[in-house]
Amino acid sequence: MDASPKIRAHALTRSFGRGARRLTALGPVELDVATGEFVCIVGPSGCGKSTLLRVAAGLLRPSAGGLDIHTHHDRPAAMIFQDYGIYDWKTVLANVRFGLDVQRVPRRDADERARGWLARMGLADFADAYPAALSGGMRQRVAIARALAVEPEILLMDEPFAALDAQLRTILQDELLALTQSTRTTTLFITHSLEEALVLGDRVLVMSARPGRIIAERRPPFGRPRTGEVRSAPEFTALKDELWDLLRGEVDHERQEAATP
Ligand SMILES: Nc1ncnc2c1ncn2[C@@H]1O[C@H](COP(=O)(O)OP(=O)(O)OP(=O)(O)O)[C@@H](O)[C@H]1O
Ligand SMILES: [Mg+2]
């Protein structure tokens, strides 16, 4: 493992709007993600998780502090958006090929890789369809295939499995485990599911209510390589309960704030 972190945030904050309407969405956040590490983030709705990921992806600037990402030129960071971020005017195949086209991978090679990922996502028959013809879960799988096809050095995933049914979600969690463990892809993964965070993460970070700060960190005590079997470990349930207590405190806090005129 490299000594220097792949992702490092220091005193990172992000606000939106001006004057009386100014709202601090995030921070201050301190965060180090090591090379090859899989970090999961949980936190109440609206606490700034997507904002953090958008800053990491370079789509938003910090308002104060900073976030540095270290990648090599040939292997980009890839982001999977909470709302999919796929292009409705491109076919499914062209959507998955998109990042490869940007990298100028030769067409035939790119097509082959894109089709391979579509097959793994159970979408082989939909290569020539347009996203409008797909269900929400299928669109989400297109977004996942697109991100993984570029074999990114860093994966930024914003609730990538939220729209999927429980079975497919479990299958893709297990696939993502196998994939990130074999490629040692550094991953920052946002989820509302504590189970998901505990299955996947080397570390699980809990964010406070808005403006989101990191208020707790847990390391699921499961070694690597790991499989979905950890779901039935006794420590799993105990840790889930503990995280849920932390999270519930933040959600309650937020509701009380909202109820105060
Ligand atoms: N572009 C924007 N302009 C103005 N406000 C924004 C913008 N993006 C986010 N916000 C606000 O910042 C706060 C954090 O939003 P963000 O989307 O990061 O939350 P989140 O933790 O991802 O929530 P969820 O779990 O519901 O996805 C919210 O109050 C949101 O309204
Ligand atoms: Mg979000």
Side-chain angles (χ1 to χ4, degrees), residues 44-229:
S45 182
C47 77
K49 301 180 297 297
S50 294
T51 302
L52 173 62
L53 226 64
R54 296 176 81 90
V55 172
L59 299 169
L60 278 177
R61 285 168 191 274
S63 300
L67 186 146
D68 295 318
I69 254 186
H70 302 280
T71 56
H72 302 294
H73 292 300
D74 53 337
R75 292 188 58 205
M79 168 130 177
I80 301 177
F81 296 94
Q82 191 170 4
D83 56 1
Y84 319 139
I86 56 180
Y87 301 118
D88 284 326
W89 63 90
K90 286 180 185 283
T91 64
V92 164
L93 182 67
N95 264 288
V96 175
R97 214 183 44 221
F98 178 74
L100 300 170
D101 292 343
V102 170
Q103 285 182 53
R104 299 178 191 277
V105 173
R107 181 63 173 259
R108 196 186 282 190
D109 199 13
D111 268 347
E112 198 176 311
R113 276 165 68 180
R115 284 186 191 280
W117 280 104
L118 281 175
R120 290 174 81 165
M121 293 293 141
L123 291 171
D125 294 341
F126 293 88
D128 299 320
Y130 284 87
L134 307 182
S135 72
M138 291 162 85
R139 291 165 69 92
Q140 187 63 298
R141 280 182 276 157
V142 172
I144 294 166
R146 184 179 60 187
L148 296 179
V150 298
E151 294 168 11
E153 194 169 328
I154 298 178
L155 256 180
L156 305 168
M157 305 180 90
D158 195 351
E159 302 196 38
F161 303 150
L164 307 179
D165 66 58
Q167 291 84 346
L168 188 59
R169 189 170 182 147
T170 305
I171 290 168
L172 290 184
Q173 285 169 1
D174 292 356
E175 275 227 6
L176 185 64
L177 262 185
L179 178 91
T180 52
Q181 284 167 170
S182 67
T183 57
R184 309 211 11 93
T185 307
T186 308
T187 308
L188 199 51
F189 186 102
I190 290 170
T191 177
H192 269 111
S193 161
L194 297 178
E195 287 96 342
E196 188 162 88
L198 289 171
V199 169
L200 296 174
D202 293 305
R203 275 192 292 155
V204 179
L205 307 179
V206 180
M207 279 174 75
S208 69
R210 186 180 60 79
R213 286 143 292 131
I214 292 162
I215 53 167
E217 169 184 312
R218 293 291 182 278
R219 286 180 185 272
F222 315 120
R224 299 277 185 188
R226 184 191 287 181
T227 68
E229 281 171 23

Side-chain angles (χ1 to χ4, degrees), residues 30-41:
E30 306 293 329
L31 174 69
D32 273 0
V33 182
T35 300
E37 199 180 16
F38 197 123
V39 172
C40 293
I41 298 185

Side-chain angles (χ1 to χ4, degrees), residues 251-261:
V251 175
D252 286 347
H253 172 80
E254 195 175 54
R255 284 170 54 203
Q256 277 157 18
E257 295 256 297
T260 315

Side-chain angles (χ1 to χ4, degrees), residues 14-25 63:
R14 172 69 204 204
S15 306
F16 293 104
R18 289 171 181 282
R21 288 173 172 266
R22 192 166 173 85
L23 169 136
T24 304
S63 300

